[in-house]
Amino acid sequence: MTVIIEFPFVHLHNHSMIHIRFSSAINLHHILKNTFFVKQLQNKEEDKDALAAKAKEEAIALREAMAKQLPKFPPNYDLTQSEATHGGDFTHFYRFACGEEMALLPQQDSKGANNGTNGSTVTDNDWMDEDVGESEGTQSKKKKAKNTKKKAKNNHGNGADNNRNSKNKGANGAAPSASTPTSNPIFSLAETEQLLHSLNNQTIIDLTIRLSGYHSPPPHRRILGDLAYIEAIMPGSATIHITAFSLGFYVNKTNATGFDPTPAAEPYYSHSLLDCLLLKSKSLREAWSIALQASHKRAELLKQAALSEDAFAQLYRPAVSHWWNNHSGTALGSGVAVPAPSSFSSRLDSVTLRPSWLVPLPMLGNKRLDTWRDHSSLHKWNVARSEEELTSTYGMDIRGGGIRDWNEELQAARDMGVETLEQRIERARMIHKVLSDFSDAALQGIHAIFDGYITPMNPNEPARSHVYLHNNIFFSRAVDAGLDTFKIIQGDRAARKSASREAANVGVIHRLDVPGLYTLGTVLVEYLGTRFVCQSVVPGILHGEKAHTLTYGAVEALSELQCDAEMHKVLEESLGEECMVATRSILSKPLSDERMEAIRQFKSTLALPTNAAIEESESQVDAEVKANNVCGPVEMKGILGSDKRKYVLDCTRLTPRDANWVAKANGGTGYWEAAASLLGENSKTSRLIPATLEDDEWTASILRPELVTSYADEKLKQFLLIRQAKEAETSSIVVTNGVSETSSDQDPVPADANEKEKDWVDVETSGKGTTEEAKKEEEEFIQSLRYNVNVFLPYMKSIENANQDAHAQLQKDEEEARQIASYLWNTVLPDVTKELRLANGSVIQIPVDGKSLTEFLHKRGINCRYLGRLADLAKVEEQNDVEAEKVYEKNKKEAKLPRFRMPLCWLELLECEIVARAAKHVLDFYLTDNGGTAAIQPAQTIASFLSAVISTSEETASETELRISASKGDAIDTDDINSLTLFDVGGKGDAVHKPVRGRSEIWSDIEKEIGRRFRYTLSLYNNNAARGRALYAPLLRRICQRSGIRIAAKAYDVGRKCVCGGGSNSGGRLDYSYPIAAVDIIDVLPLVKHAASSGEESFTPCLFNASASPSLHIVLADAKAISDAAHRHLNNGNISIASEYAQEAASLYQRVAESPLHLQIAKCINLLSKCHFYGQDHDMAILSSLKNLAVSVSLGGFDCMETVSAHSQLSDAYFAAGKVKEGMKHVRAVQFLMEFLAGANYSQLSSMYYKVGTQYFECEKLVEALSFYEVAQMKRSDDRMVDGIISSSAAMALAHLGKFNEASSKEKIAYQLYQALLGEDHDRTKISSGSLLQFMRLAMEQGKIAAAQKNKISKEKEANAVAQSIKAEEDRAESSTKKKKKKKKGKATSPEDVSENIPEKTLQAV
């Protein structure tokens, strides 16, 4: 035995440790006796014990403190909130999305103190339900909820009762406190909302001021100084007529009988209109005094609430409150002005930039408007509102001295100086402001067009061809304009897609910020199925051909392509060098002869004026055909405006066309045709998927730039590998006697190097390795990375006869495009599927909704039209998992299970997005069909459509009657719908829209669109064999988001049977729908896509009366460079420098955007919160994470991917700071949002529930821990090791509870998984085996004890039964003896009587 003693050598600065070894044969104490080492050793041992004891005490205290903070859930509580996540009950959606569960609220302080995010909780657990009085559970759980409420009341005692009394008083108009809000400086959320509602009601004065019917003054009064005549209706309905003149206001003699603008007997003159009215009306003075007092109290209340609430709580409070008039703005930036109260003018819109698809139902008085009959009760009579609409200019500032010239403002901002940082900031700020104002004006113009207030420029043409000019903005529909203009595509579908591609490419050029090249302000607006293109006007384009010059491309179909040398140079420097677009030779008249002949025949049918120049050029001989060098798409146009600036229009492609969506006969890859050939001729899939790719829409299908960049990176890798191999081969040559020999110690060049060179690099190398050849080789390689964007175009004339070299180059370009498409099909798509299979073992996060899914695919260069292909690959992986499990079940001893399996949520998310996108196109067709008559009254069409999509089948008439009878009068029927308005007024003209479709017709159209658009057949939706994997609630959310639909936040029966009408009523034009009725459709919003938007911003819903600008790209390279540097420093561990850089970048972005609500600022705040978290600065990490959450909610809403990540990050910060209670709220919010958005099979749900269960287990709250472990086991994890860990943890919790039999079952599952994944010899398997044996032994002992105890109890029961029977017999004998003794008084007793009196027990004994 050897003992090692360690102690510091005190006189050395580095405290070197001296190791002294002692033999076990020597007495240790004898050797160290009478030395100072003994004392030091004893002190050290005592210090270790003291430190260990102190650490143990601190750990116990910390565990107890954490245990007190952890919330207690009621027994049998639904931790997954299944009704809200899957059942379609959206009543308390925003409360769950913020982590404010009703079960957690009673644990807060009875005073309801607001502190941080904890301040957003309330003490009264039913304040938001008011007279409804239901918890967040389902209707079947009302009794449990009531019991929970009773327990909460008992726990809180008088405090809860006082709060409830305060609430009732506040609802009646009185403040909860005794006098003013200052008597109780801190309020709960419920008290704050009720006080605010009461005070706002007191500030409302029933006063109407408007221009009188006698306005404007006649000439003889105008020359006397009269300016206007005003009519004011006072509280109490008294009408006062006021004359406004240059010195003020006075009351005149006008009344209901006649006009007399002269001063009254008491004119009550004043410089202010308000003072004049106050002097005149006593009722107004009283109401004004009350309103002033209430206004002061409200200001004090909002001040106190702002001090006690954090940024997120100020967003959360408007989201969950049903008081419609409690508009208090937002803590982020300036307050948002909200219009006069109207039906469903949600407070949520005042704190989020994007309107939510789900609108909370407001309250009126003490009643929530939860029925359709109350929907119009908030829309009050307001003359000012009607006058405002009549006087609206729809974005035009006619009082500013003239209409704004958007193009001149934008281009002048781009021409500003960039020498200094301040100049660059001012330039970026002006560009951002002009583009933001332009998008707002464009949206107002679309509103005016749909309302019919703007006359088209071509009123004699069909409505679909109308173009408009309003506020210096040109509006046109994204439809096929005909054959008279030069274009390649045809058809309305291709025109819609081409407009979107053009807007995206304009954004690319805008972000490049190339001097000398200008683009127009471009915004796409989609409303009720119609897509509009809104653009600023090119200077001089509306003033004839002499005012502008066409320098590139062609406008008319029969004219030649222009190619100005100066314009081509600018395009070569911008698109060629920056976007890697190749310059190629194209015929000056590129259209084919058949196309040209069709255009001539089309023009001959129209009575159009002829162009002599064009006719002369057409009459020339084709032998003089020229070829022009073009850099960009062939249909792109370059225009020199009257301001001498070079503008680019119709830039529809910056990458090649996707060869996978080109028919093989036309040069495509043929992958889709090969996949279709494997299908049976009579299968459902073959009937839904078209046999060919002949579709006009696929002409506009191009490759994503991310894919082209990824392919270029792969080419560069191959190029470098080949060069390295050649250099190695050259250096290994040894010259001996004039003979070259290859050194044997060098690795040989791979045999397929030449093949790889031929496939990846189109460069001929000599292998000499000289510098000139290397440079030439590099230049040729760089040129090979530039791609031709004019490949596989239809209706194009062959250039083979005109230029053989150009034709050969075109063949190479098409082959290169096929290589890129093959790379996407064979490499990128399978790699993404493999990456997702290993998601739990990597750092990537699986998307949670359609928007994040789209961004996930786009970052990897995958277009959304490949969703069907990804779904097919996911099906194959799931089938492989099933087969692997079957093999394992047959032979568990020898078979091995793969650790990772395909996430089920991936296929569910893919199909949900597929259905949502197809449904959006089908709904657009329904709204625009028959001239758009359905869009005039769209509520019924939309409600029936949504009801069909989120259902499994259609109800029969008897089922509908049973449901309505069981609803106790709350269900909506046909009579209710007919009472809303007149839908069917007779007639059979075009103005009468078509009958409402039935469910079968709607799903038939959706499946056909899916087969055409995605070449896929659904397996989870509209399929009885889907086994409940369809995500109906996320599907409803996604369709509403993509179509701009807003529905009421109430309970809908999703995933069940529906009623859609389908022509079952008279005429088929009106019928109610279920589960979504027409009255549940609150609004339909326009969708806006700005060309200058940043990141992956696509069509986003916007309000007509609010800002339409999403987060636009900020043209400030300095801020981007600083932000990138911050990320690099954080990755390198320089946390303090990264934090400073992130703050500086956020400051620069905010100076440009003039608001903290911007996507780039949100990224900087997120980075800053990570810096504080990694730097262990817990307080600053919490503050920055709160701000990150608030900004994420304001930008994307309460249910977006960024909000989920922000909740998770904030919970980590709270847990690190020891604030378990606050962190638990945000963990619960993450769990709810993940399950609601991605379904119950989302791969990270099991880990999230396991994380919470571990928190409870460490605090020795075993029952709650076991509940979360059980939920984690029900959620499917894609890593079988995680399943084993969860089972093992659950077994440990059960063992601590004394349930050893159940613990053995759980541990057995873990052991089997470890054995199959790791083998018998792995440490984890051995530990699990030991635990299993121990649990089994304890279970057997427990069973023996239980059996012995049961045996003992049974014997005791038998003994007690015998004793009771004896006692009963004795009592019976004793009572019989007493009766006979009474009879002995009259007669003697016989021997027989004596024997009869012997007790039965005695006789049995004898």
Side-chain angles (χ1 to χ4, degrees):
M1 176 179 178
T2 302
V3 181
I4 301 177
I5 301 178
E6 298 181 1
F7 59 92
F9 209 112
V10 292
H11 67 275
L12 295 178
H13 293 287
N14 59 356
H15 292 276
S16 301
M17 306 302 293
I18 298 178
H19 299 266
I20 303 178
R21 296 180 178 269
F22 299 97
S23 174
S24 60
I26 303 175
N27 192 334
L28 178 63
H29 294 282
H30 178 71
I31 294 177
L32 298 179
K33 191 175 182 180
N34 299 324
T35 63
F36 73 98
F37 295 111
V38 176
K39 188 174 181 180
Q40 286 191 359
L41 183 62
Q42 292 175 351
N43 292 337
K44 187 173 181 180
E45 293 295 334
E46 292 176 358
D47 292 342
K48 285 184 177 180
D49 295 339
L51 290 175
K54 185 177 180 181
K56 185 176 181 180
E57 292 177 358
E58 291 178 354
I60 294 174
L62 179 61
R63 184 168 61 246
E64 291 177 352
M66 291 177 60
K68 291 180 181 179
Q69 295 186 61
L70 286 173
K72 296 180 181 179
F73 294 93
N76 299 325
Y77 183 77
D78 186 7
L79 294 174
T80 62
Q81 305 296 344
S82 57
E83 283 299 316
T85 52
H86 314 298
D89 188 359
F90 306 142
T91 307
H92 303 297
F93 172 80
Y94 291 104
R95 206 155 37 80
F96 292 140
C98 298
E100 299 288 342
E101 293 182 73
M102 200 75 75
L104 310 183
L105 300 184
Q107 300 179 47
Q108 308 298 333
D109 186 11
S110 60
K111 293 182 180 180
N114 294 342
N115 184 13
T117 51
N118 189 26
S120 60
T121 59
V122 296
T123 58
D124 194 356
N125 58 354
D126 60 348
W127 73 272
M128 282 175 283
D129 291 332
E130 296 296 331
D131 59 320
V132 180
E134 296 180 11
S135 70
E136 69 267 13
T138 60
Q139 297 291 335
S140 61
K141 298 179 181 178
K142 287 184 178 180
K143 295 182 180 180
K144 294 181 182 178
K146 290 180 180 179
N147 294 333
T148 304
K149 293 178 182 179
K150 291 180 181 179
K151 293 180 181 179
K153 293 175 183 178
N154 295 333
N155 291 336
H156 281 71
N158 296 330
D161 295 335
N162 293 335
N163 288 336
R164 188 171 294 102
N165 295 332
S166 308
K167 179 195 70 173
N168 295 333
K169 291 179 182 179
N172 294 329
S177 60
S179 57
T180 64
T182 57
S183 63
N184 186 11
I186 299 178
F187 298 97
S188 67
L189 176 61
E191 291 173 329
T192 301
E193 285 298 303
Q194 290 154 8
L195 269 173
L196 194 58
H197 172 68
S198 175
L199 295 174
N200 282 335
N201 284 338
Q202 296 177 34
T203 59
I204 298 174
I205 300 176
D206 189 11
L207 172 65
T208 302
I209 302 176
R210 59 187 179 186
L211 292 174
S212 173
Y214 298 109
H215 182 78
S216 64
H220 72 280
R221 291 297 304 180
R222 188 177 294 275
I223 61 176
L224 292 176
D226 291 358
L227 299 178
Y229 300 129
I230 301 172
E231 179 180 299
I233 303 176
M234 298 291 104
S237 302
T239 302
I240 299 175
H241 294 269
I242 305 293
T243 297
F245 68 115
S246 58
L247 299 179
F249 303 87
Y250 64 82
V251 179
N252 59 34
K253 296 179 181 178
T254 301
N255 52 34
T257 59
F259 170 66
D260 186 359
T262 60
E266 294 185 12
Y268 300 104
Y269 163 76
S270 177
H271 291 289
S272 170
L273 175 61
L274 177 60
D275 292 340
C276 179
L277 295 175
L278 289 173
L279 291 172
K280 171 63 178 176
S281 175
K282 180 181 178 181
S283 61
L284 180 60
R285 288 196 298 272
E286 295 175 351
W288 185 256
S289 177
I290 296 174
L292 282 178
Q293 295 178 9
S295 178
H296 290 304
K297 295 179 182 179
R298 181 178 60 184
E300 184 67 22
L301 175 64
L302 292 176
K303 180 180 178 181
Q304 295 167 4
L307 293 175
S308 59
E309 291 179 347
D310 53 52
F312 177 65
Q314 296 188 29
L315 299 178
Y316 160 71
R317 181 159 52 86
V320 299
S321 175
H322 300 291
W323 304 111
W324 51 268
N325 65 343
N326 286 6
H327 294 297
S328 57
T330 173
L332 301 173
S334 59
V336 181
V338 180
S342 181
S343 179
F344 295 100
S345 60
S346 174
R347 286 181 61 198
L348 202 61
D349 298 337
S350 65
V351 296
T352 57
L353 290 183
R354 293 179 180 175
S356 176
W357 64 281
L358 197 62
V359 180
L361 291 167
M363 296 192 71
L364 186 62
N366 294 330
K367 182 181 180 182
R368 191 172 66 192
L369 306 184
D370 55 351
T371 61
W372 66 272
R373 299 175 181 85
D374 302 323
H375 284 189
S376 300
S377 56
L378 287 180
H379 193 74
K380 305 299 181 182
W381 183 83
N382 192 338
V383 178
R385 185 171 56 241
S386 59
E387 291 180 351
E388 181 181 357
E389 182 178 359
L390 289 175
T391 58
S392 175
T393 59
Y394 292 98
M396 293 180 61
D397 187 12
I398 59 177
R399 299 179 183 178
I403 302 176
R404 297 179 65 175
D405 190 342
W406 300 104
N407 186 76
E408 180 60 30
E409 290 185 23
L410 177 60
Q411 313 311 338
R414 286 174 174 165
D415 291 337
M416 293 176 65
V418 293
E419 286 77 14
T420 64
L421 177 60
E422 291 298 326
Q423 289 180 345
R424 292 192 292 272
I425 292 175
E426 184 64 20
R427 175 178 179 268
R429 190 186 66 83
M430 287 301 300
I431 293 175
H432 188 274
K433 184 178 185 304
V434 172
L435 290 175
S436 299
D437 294 345
F438 174 78
S439 62
D440 296 343
L443 187 60
Q444 293 297 320
I446 294 296
H447 193 190
I449 291 173
F450 272 89
D451 288 348
Y453 290 113
I454 299 179
T455 303
M457 300 175 65
N458 51 347
N460 295 328
E461 296 184 13
R464 67 191 308 272
S465 301
H466 284 172
V467 294
Y468 305 85
L469 182 64
H470 174 74
N471 197 12
N472 272 337
I473 303 176
F474 187 77
F475 301 90
S476 61
R477 288 180 173 86
V479 295
D480 189 1
L483 296 175
D484 54 339
T485 59
F486 180 80
K487 63 182 188 307
I488 301 299
I489 63 173
Q490 65 178 1
D492 290 345
R493 290 173 175 170
R496 286 170 63 94
K497 187 180 289 291
S498 179
S500 180
R501 296 288 181 268
E502 180 186 358
N505 293 335
V506 168
V508 171
I509 300 174
H510 169 73
R511 286 186 283 274
L512 290 177
D513 197 18
V514 178
L517 187 63
Y518 298 90
T519 57
L520 303 178
T522 305
V523 173
L524 301 184
V525 180
E526 191 167 308
Y527 186 54
L528 293 175
T530 303
R531 181 173 295 181
F532 274 86
V533 181
C534 315
Q535 290 181 315
S536 58
V537 182
V538 178
I541 199 170
L542 298 178
H543 301 88
E545 296 181 357
K546 295 182 179 181
H548 68 283
T549 305
L550 179 68
T551 60
Y552 218 75
V555 176
E556 297 188 8
L558 299 179
S559 59
E560 291 185 359
L561 295 180
Q562 303 295 322
C563 184
D564 181 70
E566 187 176 354
M567 187 69 180
H568 179 75
K569 181 180 179 182
V570 174
L571 293 175
E572 178 69 24
E573 293 175 352
S574 57
L575 302 184
E577 296 180 0
E578 299 293 338
C579 300
M580 303 304 292
V581 176
T583 298
R584 295 292 185 261
S585 296
I586 296 180
L587 295 176
S588 58
K589 288 188 177 182
L591 297 182
S592 62
D593 296 337
E594 294 79 5
R595 179 77 167 182
M596 299 285 281
E597 183 62 26
I599 294 172
R600 293 189 186 95
Q601 293 180 1
F602 173 76
K603 286 194 170 186
S604 64
T605 60
L606 303 176
L608 298 176
T610 58
N611 191 324
I614 295 177
E615 288 183 352
E616 182 179 356
S617 64
E618 292 178 8
S619 62
Q620 294 178 355
V621 183
D622 292 339
E624 300 179 359
V625 175
K626 297 181 297 182
N628 297 331
N629 291 330
V630 176
C631 181
V634 64
E635 59 264 45
M636 183 179 67
K637 302 169 184 60
I639 295 178
L640 183 65
S642 59
D643 58 352
K644 304 306 177 183
R645 295 190 179 102
K646 300 179 180 64
Y647 295 91
V648 174
L649 283 74
D650 295 343
C651 184
T652 57
R653 290 184 307 280
L654 290 178
T655 54
R657 186 182 171 188
D658 191 351
N660 291 330
W661 294 84
V662 179
K664 189 174 183 180
N666 298 329
T669 58
Y671 289 131
W672 281 122
E673 289 93 333
S677 63
L678 300 177
L679 303 175
E681 297 181 358
N682 298 324
S683 64
K684 179 182 179 181
T685 303
S686 63
R687 295 194 300 268
L688 295 175
I689 298 177
T692 63
L693 291 171
E694 298 297 333
D695 195 314
D696 295 332
E697 185 173 357
W698 307 140
T699 308
S701 298
I702 59 176
L703 299 171
R704 291 198 60 82
E706 297 88 349
L707 176 70
V708 177
T709 302
S710 175
Y711 180 77
D713 292 340
E714 290 294 331
K715 288 183 66 174
L716 180 60
K717 291 178 183 178
Q718 294 294 331
F719 174 77
L720 295 177
L721 286 176
I722 294 173
R723 168 180 282 188
Q724 185 178 4
K726 289 185 177 181
E727 290 177 354
E729 181 182 1
T730 304
S731 62
S732 65
I733 297 177
V734 180
V735 180
T736 305
N737 296 326
V739 180
S740 298
E741 295 180 358
T742 303
S743 177
S744 60
D745 59 346
Q746 297 290 334
D747 295 334
V749 179
D752 58 345
N754 294 330
E755 294 296 330
K756 290 184 177 180
E757 179 184 6
K758 187 180 298 182
D759 293 339
W760 290 93
V761 185
D762 192 12
V763 180
E764 294 182 359
T765 58
S766 61
K768 296 181 180 180
T770 61
T771 305
E772 294 80 5
E773 292 177 349
K775 289 183 178 180
K776 182 180 179 182
E777 187 176 309
E778 289 178 358
E779 292 177 358
E780 292 179 355
F781 174 73
I782 292 174
Q783 290 297 323
S784 70
L785 296 179
R786 299 175 66 170
Y787 304 101
N788 187 358
V789 298
N790 295 314
V791 293
F792 306 120
L793 296 183
Y795 317 116
M796 293 287 289
K797 183 184 296 185
S798 175
I799 199 175
E800 183 177 4
N801 297 329
N803 192 330
Q804 293 288 341
D805 295 337
H807 179 70
Q809 183 63 46
L810 179 61
Q811 299 297 320
K812 292 182 180 179
D813 293 339
E814 290 183 350
E815 179 60 28
E816 188 73 10
R818 279 190 291 269
Q819 290 291 335
I820 301 176
S822 299
Y823 170 70
L824 171 62
W825 184 278
N826 296 322
T827 303
V828 177
L829 296 179
D831 286 351
V832 168
T833 305
K834 181 180 179 180
E835 183 182 11
L836 287 163
R837 186 182 184 89
L838 304 177
N840 277 357
S842 61
V843 295
I844 70 166
Q845 182 177 358
I846 299 179
V848 296
D849 65 341
K851 181 177 178 296
S852 57
L853 172 64
T854 302
E855 294 175 357
F856 177 83
L857 296 180
H858 285 177
K859 288 179 180 179
R860 287 156 177 78
I862 302 174
N863 304 86
C864 286
R865 58 179 174 269
Y866 286 99
L867 289 171
R869 177 60 182 170
L870 288 171
D872 286 330
L873 294 176
K875 287 181 183 179
V876 173
E877 294 295 328
E878 288 186 7
Q879 186 62 32
N880 292 338
D881 290 338
V882 173
E883 296 297 331
E885 290 181 358
K886 288 181 179 179
V887 173
Y888 173 73
E889 290 296 331
K890 291 181 180 179
N891 189 2
K892 291 185 178 182
K893 293 183 179 180
E894 297 180 0
K896 293 293 183 181
L897 271 177
R899 174 177 174 178
F900 298 101
R901 50 189 173 185
M902 191 66 193
L904 296 179
C905 64
W906 179 241
L907 177 60
E908 296 169 0
L909 281 173
L910 290 173
E911 287 212 5
C912 181
E913 184 66 11
I914 287 172
V915 176
R917 288 176 175 268
K920 191 257 183 188
H921 289 283
V922 173
L923 181 59
D924 288 346
F925 171 75
Y926 290 169
L927 294 175
T928 56
D929 189 24
N930 197 25
T933 54
I936 300 174
Q937 294 176 320
Q940 181 62 40
T941 301
I942 294 174
S944 298
F945 183 84
L946 294 179
S947 298
V949 172
I950 62 173
S951 62
T952 57
S953 60
E954 197 156 5
E955 284 184 351
T956 61
S958 59
E959 291 174 339
T960 302
E961 292 179 0
L962 290 175
R963 176 177 52 81
I964 293 177
S965 61
S967 63
K968 299 181 180 179
D970 294 333
I972 303 175
D973 55 14
T974 304
D975 295 335
D976 296 329
I977 297 296
N978 284 326
S979 64
L980 294 175
T981 185
L982 296 177
F983 281 81
D984 191 1
V985 295
K988 298 181 180 180
D990 294 338
V992 180
H993 58 80
K994 291 185 177 181
V996 177
R997 277 87 169 175
R999 183 186 182 279
S1000 59
E1001 183 179 357
I1002 290 173
W1003 268 106
S1004 176
D1005 292 341
I1006 291 175
E1007 289 182 334
K1008 289 179 181 178
E1009 182 67 16
I1010 291 173
R1012 186 193 70 85
R1013 183 171 297 276
F1014 303 102
R1015 304 188 70 82
Y1016 179 73
T1017 304
L1018 295 174
S1019 60
L1020 304 183
Y1021 293 88
N1022 200 31
N1023 188 351
N1024 295 329
R1027 299 184 299 277
R1029 290 182 59 186
L1031 306 178
Y1032 290 107
L1035 176 61
L1036 175 61
R1037 168 184 175 271
R1038 190 59 177 154
I1039 293 176
C1040 291
Q1041 286 181 335
R1042 292 192 60 82
S1043 302
I1045 301 170
R1046 309 186 80 181
I1047 62 175
K1050 54 184 292 188
Y1052 301 100
D1053 291 334
V1054 301
R1056 297 180 177 86
K1057 294 187 177 182
C1058 70
V1059 176
C1060 301
S1064 60
N1065 59 321
S1066 59
R1069 301 190 179 103
L1070 175 63
D1071 202 350
Y1072 79 100
S1073 57
Y1074 174 82
I1076 300 177
V1079 292
D1080 297 325
I1081 308 299
I1082 306 303
D1083 198 2
V1084 181
L1085 303 177
L1087 303 172
V1088 179
K1089 179 179 181 178
H1090 205 298
S1093 62
S1094 60
E1096 289 292 334
E1097 292 283 349
S1098 184
F1099 285 95
T1100 57
C1102 299
L1103 295 171
F1104 275 123
N1105 58 353
S1107 175
S1109 300
S1111 295
L1112 303 182
H1113 175 74
I1114 294 179
V1115 189
L1116 186 62
D1118 304 79
K1120 185 178 185 302
I1122 295 175
S1123 177
D1124 294 341
H1127 283 89
R1128 289 195 301 270
H1129 282 291
L1130 180 61
N1131 294 333
N1132 294 332
N1134 301 325
I1135 298 176
S1136 59
I1137 300 177
S1139 176
E1140 294 177 2
Y1141 279 19
Q1143 291 179 359
E1144 181 64 24
S1147 176
L1148 291 177
Y1149 281 128
Q1150 189 164 349
R1151 288 182 62 182
V1152 174
E1154 298 180 340
S1155 170
L1157 301 182
H1158 192 276
L1159 184 61
Q1160 296 299 330
I1161 299 177
K1163 292 180 179 179
C1164 293
I1165 295 175
N1166 183 26
L1167 179 63
L1168 185 61
S1169 63
K1170 291 180 180 179
C1171 293
H1172 291 313
F1173 181 77
Y1174 295 148
Q1176 301 297 317
D1177 190 352
H1178 300 309
D1179 294 335
M1180 290 302 299
I1182 291 174
L1183 290 176
S1184 56
S1185 297
L1186 277 170
K1187 186 179 293 186
N1188 178 34
L1189 176 59
V1191 172
S1192 300
V1193 169
S1194 298
L1195 288 175
F1198 287 86
D1199 55 346
C1200 65
M1201 179 76 171
E1202 293 77 13
T1203 300
V1204 175
S1205 300
H1207 273 296
S1208 179
Q1209 191 169 331
L1210 180 57
S1211 67
D1212 293 338
Y1214 272 128
F1215 285 142
K1219 298 181 179 180
V1220 181
K1221 178 171 57 177
E1222 292 83 355
M1224 187 61 67
K1225 288 171 48 179
H1226 296 282
V1227 169
R1228 292 292 292 160
V1230 172
Q1231 291 173 350
F1232 171 77
L1233 289 173
M1234 281 184 176
E1235 189 156 358
F1236 177 82
L1237 297 176
N1241 291 323
Y1242 188 65
S1243 60
Q1244 296 183 5
L1245 276 174
S1246 59
S1247 300
M1248 292 300 299
Y1249 281 101
Y1250 173 73
K1251 177 182 177 181
V1252 178
T1254 304
Q1255 292 281 348
Y1256 279 96
F1257 184 81
E1258 291 177 353
C1259 295
E1260 298 182 357
K1261 289 193 172 186
L1262 303 177
V1263 177
E1264 290 85 353
L1266 186 59
S1267 300
F1268 279 96
Y1269 286 154
E1270 289 175 351
V1271 176
Q1273 284 185 300
M1274 290 189 297
K1275 305 300 179 184
R1276 184 180 186 269
S1277 174
D1278 305 322
D1279 187 354
R1280 290 186 170 91
M1281 284 294 296
V1282 175
D1283 291 342
I1285 294 172
I1286 295 174
S1287 298
S1288 182
S1289 300
M1292 190 63 66
L1294 288 168
H1296 279 73
L1297 290 173
K1299 301 179 180 180
F1300 299 110
N1301 195 12
E1302 298 178 15
S1304 301
S1305 301
K1306 298 293 184 182
E1307 191 63 40
K1308 184 178 180 181
I1309 297 174
Y1311 171 72
Q1312 290 177 349
L1313 287 173
Y1314 295 152
Q1315 185 184 27
L1317 298 173
L1318 305 175
E1320 290 285 354
D1321 298 332
H1322 197 273
D1323 293 340
R1324 188 178 291 274
T1325 308
K1326 295 178 181 179
I1327 294 173
S1328 179
S1329 176
S1331 300
L1332 178 59
L1333 293 176
Q1334 185 177 3
F1335 292 156
M1336 293 174 64
R1337 181 178 59 80
L1338 293 174
M1340 292 176 63
E1341 293 178 359
Q1342 189 180 46
K1344 292 178 180 179
I1345 295 173
Q1349 188 175 4
K1350 183 178 180 181
N1351 188 19
K1352 181 179 178 181
I1353 292 174
S1354 62
K1355 290 182 179 180
E1356 289 178 354
K1357 288 182 178 180
E1358 292 177 359
N1360 291 334
V1362 172
Q1364 289 177 1
S1365 63
I1366 292 173
K1367 185 178 180 182
E1369 291 294 337
E1370 290 178 349
D1371 293 341
R1372 194 182 308 112
E1374 184 179 357
S1375 62
S1376 176
T1377 303
K1378 290 180 180 180
K1379 291 180 181 179
K1380 291 183 179 181
K1381 284 182 179 180
K1382 292 180 181 180
K1383 295 181 180 180
K1384 287 180 181 180
K1385 297 180 180 179
K1387 61 178 181 178
T1389 303
S1390 61
E1392 291 83 1
D1393 296 333
V1394 174
S1395 63
E1396 290 178 359
N1397 292 331
I1398 298 175
E1400 184 179 356
K1401 178 181 178 183
T1402 305
L1403 294 174
Q1404 291 177 354
V1406 173

